[in-house]
Amino acid sequence: MAEHHQQLRRTDDMKNFFHENGPSTSKVLMVATLLPVGGILLLLAGLSLIGSLIGLAIAAPLFLIFSPVLVPSAFLIAGSIAGFLTSGAFGITGLSSLSWIATYIRGSRGSMSQGLDPVKWPLPDTAVSMEQKIQNRSQGGGRISEGGREQEGGKSKTQEGGKSKTQEGGNKTVG
């Protein structure tokens, strides 16, 4: 009796669970609409597969009979398509090369070294400034703080507050 009572209680709990967490009306309508559409599409896919297999079964003997003609013609067609695509690719490559040469000769692009000049110019300045900092430090025996903005002992200071102060030797240090 107790088992029967527990089964009824479980059944009631399940009914309450599904009643509270059941699907919404829009979900039920969506399933009711899409189920027949999906079934029809699946039926059409099956029919087209069966039709293809029947057509292949009928055409297979014809393929075997005419294979001495069909295989070389397939190779000929594939080769001609590859040739047309290759000639088009070579033509586009040639035209783009001629266009690039024409713009290069006209000088509208400039050379690569001209394009890299702004990158090259700061390098010697950086090397010279580092050399000056090392010389000032070695001569003055002082210390260089962050970024070389202050030096003690060598009496060398850089721009502070918009005013530049000179070093001991009369050189200006740019920070």
Side-chain angles (χ1 to χ4, degrees):
M1 181 83 161
E3 291 179 18
H4 182 61
H5 183 64
Q6 285 180 346
Q7 278 184 334
L8 288 176
R9 199 167 105 201
R10 286 185 203 157
T11 308
D12 290 340
D13 290 342
M14 294 301 281
K15 286 180 183 177
N16 288 336
F17 176 76
F18 284 120
H19 182 66
E20 291 172 4
N21 298 330
S24 65
T25 307
S26 62
K27 289 181 181 178
V28 170
L29 288 175
M30 181 179 63
V31 168
T33 306
L34 292 179
L35 191 63
V37 171
I40 291 170
L41 290 176
L42 188 61
L43 177 71
L44 290 175
L47 288 176
S48 65
L49 176 66
I50 291 171
S52 299
L53 290 176
I54 290 172
L56 184 62
I58 292 171
L62 295 175
F63 283 140
L64 288 176
I65 292 170
F66 292 111
S67 65
V69 175
L70 292 177
V71 172
S73 65
F75 282 135
L76 181 69
I77 290 171
S80 62
I81 289 173
F84 283 126
L85 291 177
T86 305
S87 68
F90 285 151
I92 289 172
T93 304
L95 285 176
S96 64
S97 298
L98 289 175
S99 172
W100 183 84
I101 289 171
T103 56
Y104 184 79
I105 289 174
R106 276 191 255 135
S108 63
R109 280 194 179 203
S111 68
M112 284 298 289
S113 63
Q114 290 174 352
L116 295 176
D117 281 342
V119 175
K120 288 182 184 176
W121 285 111
L123 294 176
D125 295 338
T126 305
V128 169
S129 66
M130 288 300 291
E131 182 181 348
Q132 288 177 355
K133 288 177 186 177
I134 292 170
Q135 285 178 357
N136 290 338
R137 184 171 182 189
S138 65
Q139 289 174 0
R143 67 172 180 82
I144 298 178
S145 70
E146 184 180 338
R149 297 209 181 260
E150 288 184 23
Q151 291 184 349
E152 292 178 2
K155 297 181 183 176
S156 151
K157 293 192 177 186
T158 58
Q159 295 180 353
E160 294 178 10
K163 299 177 184 176
S164 63
K165 298 185 179 182
T166 58
Q167 292 178 343
E168 192 171 324
N171 296 332
K172 290 186 180 180
T173 306
V174 179

